[in-house]
Amino acid sequence: MEKFRDTALSPEERAKDLLHRMTPEEKIYQLSAQMLFDHEEEYREKRDFRHGNYRNPGHFMHRDPAKKTTPSEVAHAVNEDVRNGIAASRFGIPPLENGEALHGAQWGMATVFPQPIAMASTFDPELMEETADLIGQECAAVGVRQVFAPVITVVRSVTPGTAASCVSPRSSDQRSAAERVRVLPTYA
């Protein structure tokens, strides 16, 4: 058995063995991403399953307002994408399917919330926590394990264009950003 498959070894030992076996091209593909904006007939022809991370196909399945995409349809597309990614890797490495979650899980019929800067203006950390928990559950329900979510920053200028993605830690009680950060649970 190859060391990287031996679960009795430490993660560090397994990773070292796997990295030693991988070609430079395979390492580059693991670090690279691909994003296709259409999940239609040509998707399978355009998708390069060697990429290690990818904007999940469910993200773009809601482009047609006349067609409601169900959670099971999104989960099927994400799972199929992962299976194809594993098959394309000679080591069976699954791709990391990521998604956007600035104002909710971005797929089909997922809940839409106000932009983070608007949520932060409520000065209600419990509301933010509950919202983040719901977004996490909706992402996990379809197989999305990584999301681009709000960042905590002190917004001094709205001109960069990303200010709407930010949650400013400044509030009337002046708690620091570090006090507001918490690790959200992992949903299996």
Side-chain angles (χ1 to χ4, degrees), residues 7-152:
T7 57
L9 297 175
S10 72
E12 292 81 10
E13 291 174 292
R14 295 173 67 194
K16 185 176 180 180
D17 179 66
L18 178 59
L19 288 171
H20 178 72
R21 293 170 186 271
M22 293 173 76
T23 66
E25 182 182 39
E26 288 169 325
K27 292 174 185 175
I28 289 168
Y29 270 110
Q30 282 302 304
L31 296 171
S32 66
Q34 182 183 29
M35 182 173 3
L36 297 175
F37 294 96
D38 219 350
H39 190 268
E40 298 300 324
E41 299 301 319
E42 299 176 6
Y43 175 81
R44 289 190 53 79
E45 289 79 39
K46 292 179 181 178
R47 171 78 165 95
D48 185 343
F49 291 101
R50 296 174 295 172
H51 286 282
N53 86 61
Y54 181 71
R55 180 62 60 93
N56 78 83
H59 184 86
F60 301 106
M61 291 174 70
H62 62 280
R63 294 181 70 173
D64 181 358
K67 183 186 180 297
K68 302 284 189 233
T69 307
T70 66
S72 61
E73 290 172 314
V74 174
H76 176 77
V78 171
N79 290 335
E80 181 181 1
D81 206 63
V82 169
R83 279 192 296 275
N84 288 327
I86 290 169
S89 166
R90 85 182 156 112
F91 299 108
I93 302 170
L96 180 57
E97 298 279 331
N98 61 55
E100 187 66 73
L102 288 176
H103 54 83
Q106 303 245 327
W107 54 260
M109 298 169 14
T111 308
V112 177
F113 296 96
Q115 282 287 348
I117 199 163
M119 295 286 287
S121 68
T122 66
F123 301 108
D124 187 345
E126 289 76 26
L127 175 64
M128 294 291 295
E129 185 175 323
E130 185 178 332
T131 301
D133 191 52
L134 289 170
I135 292 170
Q137 289 177 45
E138 288 188 348
C139 287
V142 297
V144 176
R145 300 290 184 237
Q146 178 194 31
V147 294
F148 304 112
V151 295
I152 294 181

